[in-house]
Amino acid sequence: VIESEETITNNESSSEEVSKEQIIVKYKDEIVSSIPGEQVEELGGEVVTEEENVALYNVPEENIEETIEKLGKIDGVEFVEKNVSYSIAATDDTYYENQWNLSAIAAQEAWRVAEKQEGNAVVAVLDTGVQGFHEDLDGRVLSGKTFVDGYEETFEGDDQGHGTFVSGIIAANADNGKGIAGVAGDADVQILPVKVMNKSGVGDAFNIAKGIDYAVAQGVDVINLSFSGEYSESIEQAINKAVAAGIVVVAASGNGGGNADTSYPAALPNV
């Protein structure tokens, strides 16, 4: 269910490698100058990819702060930041036999209201992918896209499982005698899988921002981001574009019970 695309993040790379060795350069307009790339090369780095008004560079760890400072002073550069990493908000539970959460959010009452509504909704799940063949998601999963390099479709769309788990919480078929009931109940809600996290449950700001832009282009109604990490201007700008397009953006605040004010993207004002 996921269409592959050539991207830059190695599916096996760790969050430490990504956050310490890559930078994102956002230009005010389309890339018209080779100066940033030349300066990166002078500092021992290399161009990974350049796409319209954004570029990704590999930079030696010891030169990353100096590179960010120098590139940020170049005319035409909007901002420079580390390509920080994000991790999925995982759970140890194998089954959700007692779905107390549905009662806690009054889901049953919402289902009764939804019965009177017409139309459908599409939720983009930016995660590890979605197993479209899962029996409890039958008829719910659309064809999506992957932004993770090196991904092979040996697990029918999800090589980690977290994205399928999240999609089930959102839209698992209700009243089918199987598994669990999703928050959507019987409403016409479909899942658009956007794979931005690798099989270790780690992704980076560059690909997540691209995944959000893709979801906006597909005209989804909701974007779900069940992961957390540091602040990224790339991700905030992508989310702002989504909200401006009338899309609701939802993000995980973590499973630790701590303060979500420092967990991004959940702490962003438009989320």
Side-chain angles (χ1 to χ4, degrees):
V1 298
I2 294 181
E3 169 191 345
S4 64
E5 176 183 276
E6 183 178 357
T7 53
I8 51 80
T9 300
N10 190 306
N11 201 38
E12 302 294 337
S13 64
S14 70
S15 59
E16 183 178 6
E17 289 173 338
V18 171
S19 63
K20 288 186 177 180
E21 297 184 357
Q22 290 187 333
I23 59 173
I24 300 170
V25 179
K26 177 69 180 301
Y27 296 85
K28 296 177 182 177
D29 299 300
E30 291 188 8
I31 299 173
V32 294
S33 171
S34 62
I35 294 176
E38 292 173 355
Q39 290 203 5
V40 168
E41 291 176 357
E42 288 175 3
L43 292 168
E46 60 181 356
V47 177
V48 177
T49 185
E50 294 180 332
E51 303 176 6
E52 296 182 354
N53 65 340
V54 64
L56 187 70
Y57 300 108
N58 281 334
V59 180
E61 180 181 347
E62 62 271 18
N63 295 336
I64 193 166
E65 297 298 340
E66 179 184 0
T67 304
I68 290 174
E69 182 179 358
K70 286 187 174 181
L71 297 185
K73 295 178 180 179
I74 297 175
D75 290 340
V77 171
E78 183 176 343
F79 68 82
V80 184
E81 67 175 357
K82 292 181 182 179
N83 189 21
V84 296
S85 63
Y86 293 78
S87 300
I88 58 177
T91 177
D92 293 328
D93 297 329
T94 303
Y95 302 102
Y96 250 124
E97 296 179 351
N98 300 313
Q99 289 187 268
W100 58 265
N101 56 308
L102 296 181
S103 297
I105 64 173
Q108 291 85 351
E109 287 79 359
W111 293 345
R112 284 193 286 271
V113 173
E115 288 177 356
K116 304 175 184 178
Q117 307 297 316
E118 296 182 357
N120 67 330
V122 177
V123 180
V125 175
L126 275 68
D127 213 292
T128 59
V130 180
Q131 292 179 357
F133 67 89
H134 196 290
E135 62 180 3
D136 220 9
L137 291 172
D138 184 37
R140 296 281 199 181
V141 184
L142 302 172
S143 294
K145 197 167 191 175
T146 180
F147 291 89
V148 175
D149 184 42
Y151 171 67
E152 297 180 2
E153 290 225 31
T154 55
F155 288 84
E156 295 292 335
D158 186 357
D159 54 0
Q160 203 276 345
H162 185 265
T164 303
F165 170 75
V166 169
S167 297
I169 292 176
I170 296 169
N173 290 313
D175 299 322
N176 64 347
K178 301 174 183 177
I180 64 171
V183 172
D186 291 324
D188 187 3
V189 174
Q190 293 182 302
I191 300 294
L192 178 72
V194 184
K195 184 172 175 63
V196 295
M197 316 297 282
N198 64 23
K199 66 182 180 181
S200 297
V202 176
D204 61 59
F206 185 80
N207 281 342
I208 291 169
K210 287 175 63 178
I212 294 171
D213 288 343
Y214 167 75
V216 172
Q218 302 310 302
V220 303
D221 300 286
V222 180
I223 293 176
N224 186 86
L225 311 170
S226 290
F227 47 77
S228 60
E230 302 175 45
Y231 170 78
S232 164
E233 188 166 353
S234 298
I235 290 179
E236 181 172 23
Q237 287 196 359
I239 287 175
N240 288 344
K241 286 190 289 185
V243 173
I247 298 171
V248 176
V249 181
V250 181
S253 59
N255 294 333
N259 190 342
D261 291 346
T262 58
S263 177
Y264 291 91
L268 293 173
N270 273 335
V271 177

